[in-house]
Amino acid sequence: MKNVIMISTDQQRIDAMSCMDPSYHTPNLDRLVDRSVLFTGAISTSAQCSPSRASWMTGKFPHQVGVYQIGHTLDPKGWGIAKEFNKAGYETAYFGKWHLGLSPADHDFAVTDYRLDGLELGGANDDPRFHSNKDAISTTQALNYLDDYCGSKPFFLKLNWYMPHPDTPVDKPFELIERFAEQYPLEQMPVPNTFYSDDLSGKPPFQRERSSKGESELTEELVRRDAQRYRSLVALMDTYLGRLLDRLEEKGMMEHTAILFTSDHGDMQGAHRLRLKGVLPYKELYNVPMIVYVPWVQSKRKVIPDLVSTAAVTGTLLDAAGIPLPEECEGGSLLPVMERSEPLTGEHVFFEHYKAYWGRHPMVGIQTSRYKYVYYLEENLEEMYDLVNDPDEVRNIAGQPQIEEQRAELRQRAVAWWEATGGFSREPIIDQESGWIKMGF
């Protein structure tokens, strides 16, 4: 009997854990990584909450299921991961953030609420409007669910944390978790190199415009403040993960439970003089954590740098349970990647974005081991970066004659993929209650 748990955070970059960057303190994430396979080349399908999460539920890219942006509803009549686990005899449970319109119950998750006795805030704000508080609640629900688990049937549990996503009702954008403030002295917080080195010349005009106003009107002090608060949220999230791992170990469940940990997208944290997120192609947004623990599968590598897509989350979870992947699950599984000794020749991954509070700038991108290429579908703008010689993505080389052949090939591949997978053909279901829709986003 194989249980399956997926844990997701919101707006966590790949380097936001101490095994990747010692300026963070995440002993429990490191503990999970020690027992797991770490994919360092995982690329989100979209750097926005709802589209990215739609991929987790369907094994498809956001445009294929009509979730182009926040405020679009995932169609409950379509195929989804809970339906497949239910069919295989699993109990399906969902706690925490959803952000796909309607509710998890409408998508056939059987358990979507649970008792809260024993609730421990663990340093979270006691105001329920704060993300730290919401995550304390969903963690307690998951812990109580595991406490009550009797083993009559296997379970698929989806635990979805809001942190470190910013949404504090006061002193925005990031909440400070006081318990960890001393761990991150403000004056020691890092400022990204590209805060100084990238003036965004040669980039799409809306990036330069946005960098000098609104949330991205930054100073070094603000960047350090964000870094401190972001790290304090990650640290609190890590303690919640530790409680979950402890509970699984106490109940003797680790050996027959698969765990996948990931995030929907990252956060700019002042890189390229930009804050939070937007219609941007940078690694700070697209490269996310991907930790896969499947104790009954032997991997040839502990750390896998291969380019993989978060569209593979769905298939990986089913595959870990031994459930055959249906044809609807197009993103495949990561377990075959664990059987390889090295990346495939010609590896690549696609990604997309549509619209955010930065405005509507639909784009499709392709990343290879050498290049990242982005085409803005409605504006005929391009970005292209040499990831070997310019890993920080400072110099937009689209238009340079020496790489014209590579640029033309990548554009053809990106546009051909977009059109072959439906492009804008899927009509979105609009969530009229969404604040984004009401505000015109």
Side-chain angles (χ1 to χ4, degrees):
M1 181 172 59
K2 299 170 180 176
N3 300 315
V4 180
I5 298 176
M6 179 183 174
I7 305 168
S8 63
T9 57
D10 195 323
Q11 209 151 316
Q12 183 182 357
R13 301 149 47 123
I14 176 65
D15 58 357
M17 44 187 176
S18 49
C19 64
M20 298 288 290
D21 179 347
S23 70
Y24 291 86
H25 181 67
T26 58
N28 295 298
L29 264 174
D30 294 353
R31 169 181 160 198
L32 180 60
V33 167
D34 285 344
R35 302 180 68 165
S36 307
V37 175
L38 174 62
F39 288 83
T40 58
I43 305 299
S44 178
T45 59
S46 174
Q48 194 178 70
C49 301
S50 299
S52 176
R53 290 163 188 271
S55 291
W56 296 344
M57 295 297 106
T58 64
K60 289 181 169 62
F61 277 76
H63 70 277
Q64 293 180 285
V65 293
V67 183
Y68 301 99
Q69 64 170 70
I70 296 174
H72 291 174
T73 294
L74 183 62
D75 188 353
K77 296 191 294 293
W79 180 87
I81 190 170
K83 292 179 172 70
E84 204 66 27
F85 270 107
N86 288 335
K87 189 168 68 174
Y90 276 67
E91 180 169 80
T92 51
Y94 195 106
F95 304 124
K97 181 170 180 173
W98 174 243
H99 220 181
L100 287 168
L102 301 175
S103 75
D106 293 304
H107 288 262
D108 289 2
F109 281 91
V111 181
T112 57
D113 195 9
Y114 217 74
R115 60 185 177 88
L116 283 173
D117 45 297
L119 174 66
E120 295 179 23
L121 294 179
N125 196 300
D126 60 8
D127 185 330
R129 295 177 297 171
F130 285 79
H131 282 171
S132 62
N133 186 281
K134 294 176 181 178
D135 289 350
I137 289 172
S138 61
T139 302
T140 302
Q141 290 174 319
L143 292 171
N144 287 336
Y145 177 84
L146 292 174
D147 274 343
D148 294 343
Y149 178 66
C150 64
S152 60
K153 63 191 316 188
F155 64 78
F156 168 50
L157 169 63
K158 180 77 171 69
L159 176 57
N160 312 267
W161 289 319
Y162 284 81
M163 295 187 294
H165 187 288
D167 193 24
T168 173
V170 294
D171 199 18
K172 296 183 177 183
F174 290 99
E175 177 184 357
L176 177 66
I177 306 302
E178 296 287 353
R179 172 182 169 184
F180 298 102
E182 291 185 5
Q183 208 162 26
Y184 303 108
L186 194 61
E187 66 278 5
Q188 295 179 19
M189 291 297 95
V191 178
N193 291 334
T194 55
F195 179 81
Y196 308 104
S197 63
D198 191 358
D199 63 3
L200 298 174
S201 59
K203 308 288 182 78
F206 70 84
Q207 289 189 28
R208 294 195 297 277
E209 178 186 354
R210 194 73 186 189
S211 72
S212 60
K213 67 179 184 181
E215 77 293 323
S216 288
E217 195 172 359
L218 293 170
T219 63
E220 281 189 12
E221 181 181 1
L222 280 174
V223 173
R224 294 187 196 279
R225 182 178 183 267
D226 281 359
Q228 178 194 47
R229 294 180 170 220
Y230 186 79
R231 281 161 176 75
S232 77
L233 287 163
V234 171
L236 179 59
M237 175 276 296
D238 186 76
T239 68
Y240 293 161
L241 175 63
R243 292 170 63 195
L244 186 78
L245 295 176
D246 288 346
R247 192 61 47 88
L248 290 169
E249 289 173 350
E250 290 163 6
K251 292 183 67 70
M253 299 173 66
M254 285 295 290
E255 296 313 308
H256 52 268
T257 300
I259 302 172
L260 188 152
F261 180 101
T262 192
S263 192
D264 53 1
H265 55 79
D267 185 277
M268 291 303 296
Q269 288 286 295
H272 305 273
R273 302 195 68 85
L274 297 166
R275 200 182 203 181
L276 304 176
K277 59 192 176 187
V279 193
L280 301 165
Y282 298 115
K283 63 181 180 180
E284 288 82 5
L285 292 186
Y286 277 90
N287 197 185
V288 293
M290 183 69 74
I291 304 168
V292 179
Y293 170 77
V294 186
W296 50 88
V297 173
Q298 187 68 39
S299 177
K300 291 185 177 178
R301 295 174 288 173
K302 282 285 292 176
V303 179
I304 297 180
D306 307 31
L307 289 173
V308 298
S309 172
T310 57
V313 163
T314 316
T316 304
L317 295 166
L318 293 170
D319 201 4
I323 300 172
L325 272 58
E327 62 179 14
E328 293 94 341
C329 191
E330 298 178 23
S333 167
L334 296 178
L335 299 195
V337 183
M338 293 162 59
E339 298 174 0
R340 302 200 298 251
S341 300
E342 57 186 23
L344 294 174
T345 302
E347 65 171 353
H348 64 278
V349 66
F350 295 102
F351 57 93
E352 62 183 85
H353 207 310
Y354 179 69
K355 183 180 181 182
Y357 50 82
W358 291 46
R360 174 173 164 148
H361 306 283
M363 58 104 153
V364 58
I366 180 173
Q367 183 169 331
T368 70
S369 59
R370 177 68 185 268
Y371 296 110
K372 178 184 286 186
Y373 172 82
V374 176
Y375 178 60
Y376 292 87
L377 293 157
E378 296 180 348
E379 297 159 286
N380 198 30
L381 296 171
E382 297 175 297
E383 287 180 78
M384 185 169 170
Y385 301 99
D386 183 335
L387 302 177
V388 173
N389 296 309
D390 179 24
D392 288 335
E393 304 168 337
V394 174
R395 297 180 297 279
N396 181 11
I397 59 174
Q400 292 188 3
Q402 64 268 31
I403 50 88
E404 173 57 22
E405 182 179 346
Q406 295 94 326
R407 183 207 64 81
E409 179 196 0
L410 290 173
R411 174 166 174 167
Q412 188 278 327
R413 290 171 68 185
V415 172
W417 171 80
W418 175 257
E419 293 175 349
T421 54
F424 290 123
S425 64
R426 184 68 182 263
E427 192 70 25
I429 302 171
I430 306 299
D431 178 6
Q432 299 296 342
E433 297 304 310
S434 167
W436 279 61
I437 297 300
K438 289 180 177 180
M439 291 186 287
F441 291 126

